[in-house]
Each structure stands twice: as C-alpha cells, then as structure tokens.
Amino acid sequence: MDQLSAMRVFRQVVDAGGFSRAGEALDMSHSVVSRQVRWLEETLGAQLLNRTTRRFALTEVGLAYYRRCVQILDQVEDATLMVQHHQNHPSGLLRINAPMVFGTMEVGKWLPDFMRRYPELRIDLVCNDRFVDLIAEEFDVGLRITRTLPDSTLMARRLSVSDMVLVAAPSYLERHGTPSVPADLVRHNYLAYSLALQTTELSFTDPAGALLSVAVRGNLQANTGIVVCDAVRAGMGITASASFVVHEDLRRGDLVKLLPGYQLQSRDLYALYPQNRHMSPKVRAFIDFVSDYYAQFRWHC
C-alpha cells in the first residue's frame, strides 16, 4: 500500500468521525478503509486508534500523528496546486538566443504580444552570430536560420522557411549593370556575410533544375548581416540575403531581386531546445506561440 494514501484515509476517518462516513467521503467500502488504517498502524508499529463496536478514540500517539498528517497532507496539496498553476501559467525567466539579424528584425515584431499573453514570464533575449551552446550557456530555447542542422541532442521544431535572394540597390545597378546569368557575377562587387558556409562561391539551381556554381568576390565582408545589407542598400554591391531581411526593401523598391530564374538554396527557421522528459511550460508556451505566428508565411519576395 501507499503510505501517503493511507495517511489520507486515516485523516478522513478522524475528520469524519468514523470509518463508514470516511468510506462514503472517499467512495470506499468500510472494510477497505479499515484495512488501510490497520496497514498504517502495522507499518508504523503503533496503535493510532482505540476501537469499540460503536466508536473510536485517538490514542496519544495517534493524536500526535494525526496533527502531523494534517500538516504533511496540506503541504502536499499546496505543492500540487503550485505545480498546476505553474503548468497553466508559465512563469519565471525564459532565456532566448537568436541570430543578430533575426533578433533585430523579426523577434521585436511579436515578442511584445508573447509577453502580454504570459505576464508572469521574464525574458532574457541574447542576440549574436557566434556559435552558442544552448545547454552550456543555460538558454531555454534558441532560434536558428540554417540550411541544415548539425547532429545534436537538442530537440528541433521547424517553424518556417526563408528563401535566399540575390539583391542590389537600383543605384548600384545603374552604375554597374544588371547581371542576367550567374556567370555575370564575376564582374560585380559581392558583399559577403563572413559566417556563411560559403563566402567566395554561390550555388544556384537553373531553370532546368541543374546545379551550377560561380565564384564571387568583393571589397567587404562582415560577421553581421546587418552591416552587409546596409552597405547593399547604400549601393555598394550585391549580396545574397535571407528573404526575411530584405522582403520589405523589395516591396518598396529600395532593393531589386536579381536572377529571378535562378534559385539559391533556402534556409529553414528552427526553434531548438534541450531534450527533457517533460518540456517546461515556459518553453512549450514560447514554441507554440512562434509556431502559430510563423504558420502564416510572412516573407514573400
């Protein structure tokens, strides 16, 4: 038998003033109630109740045990209610890691709504473009824009896809001309994000589905995509950018999409989080929220 369950039965017997009334309250038979109390006495090695055919009385040790049972069972109930509240109302500190460009240009669009929905949460958002070990640096969740995920013990939820597009400012194209095929890029100034997998070569899928690569070079590379895209907007050169970064520039005409018949490999947006047997309510709430937000495709180019 379970000692905690037997303690609950014993308490109910005392509170109800009898075995039959306790059984009615607990939806148990008189014999089951009696057997639970007897097992408890045998486990403790002490008599808790003096019984007669019509009534019972607590022994001295039974009274002391009853009082401790009340304290323990009330604390167990309080702990249960606390966990249930925590499950239904995510709270505490949620640490989020995101790439610099994505954190700067995207997260701020929806983070206030998330925080209004879960006011008991505190957010620590850290944006950077270096490799981050989520577990070692104690992040709850990471957002990643990537072509492929490395082998990892982390769990991953795919949220959306971001096309890669080749772009330049109209002012640059007026001075240097518009490339019509990938091979034309060798004559253009290519501005590179230095943490990309390839900074000196671009791989395309042509209209027939064939793969082709072209070497690129230029006078600027930076480890933040923000600087690269600012330079492109200023007419300094051409770059390949994720659509979430430039889709508004393309819509306004501040940038022009190049080589529309040729496709660069897209990037996927993932939420990564440590693998736990029970996902914490705050992480679940966050992942469900961003999944719903990006269920609608937002970066049309």
Side-chain angles (χ1 to χ4, degrees), residues 164-167 190-193 202 228-229 232 238-242 264:
M164 294 295 292
V165 289
L166 199 68
V167 296
Y190 183 79
L191 311 185
Y193 172 54
L202 292 177
V228 172
C229 285
V232 171
I238 292 173
T239 197
S241 174
L264 295 163

Side-chain angles (χ1 to χ4, degrees), residues 145-214:
I145 294 275
T146 183
R147 188 184 305 170
T148 56
L149 287 175
D151 291 337
S152 170
T153 59
L154 297 172
M155 302 297 291
R157 174 86 68 89
R158 183 179 179 274
L159 303 174
S160 188
V161 62
S162 178
D163 292 333
M164 294 295 292
V165 289
L166 199 68
V167 296
S171 60
Y172 174 86
L173 300 176
E174 289 172 4
R175 297 194 308 273
H176 300 281
T178 301
S180 58
V181 294
D184 292 342
L185 294 175
V186 298
R187 297 189 296 272
H188 285 272
N189 192 36
Y190 183 79
L191 311 185
Y193 172 54
S194 60
L195 299 183
L197 294 177
Q198 287 286 347
T199 60
T200 60
E201 183 180 81
L202 292 177
S203 297
F204 295 89
T205 302
D206 71 12
L211 296 177
L212 58 94
S213 296
V214 59

Side-chain angles (χ1 to χ4, degrees), residues 86-91 93-94 96 114 117-118 121 140-141 155 157 159 271-274 276-292:
H86 184 69
Q87 291 293 106
N88 295 327
H89 304 276
S91 60
L93 177 65
L94 179 68
I96 307 165
F114 174 73
R117 183 176 297 184
Y118 299 103
L121 278 176
D140 297 295
V141 63
M155 302 297 291
R157 174 86 68 89
L159 303 174
L272 304 180
Y273 53 97
N276 295 309
R277 183 177 178 185
H278 299 289
M279 186 189 298
S280 70
K282 60 185 180 181
V283 173
R284 184 181 301 280
F286 178 80
I287 291 177
D288 288 346
F289 182 91
V290 292
S291 294
D292 290 343

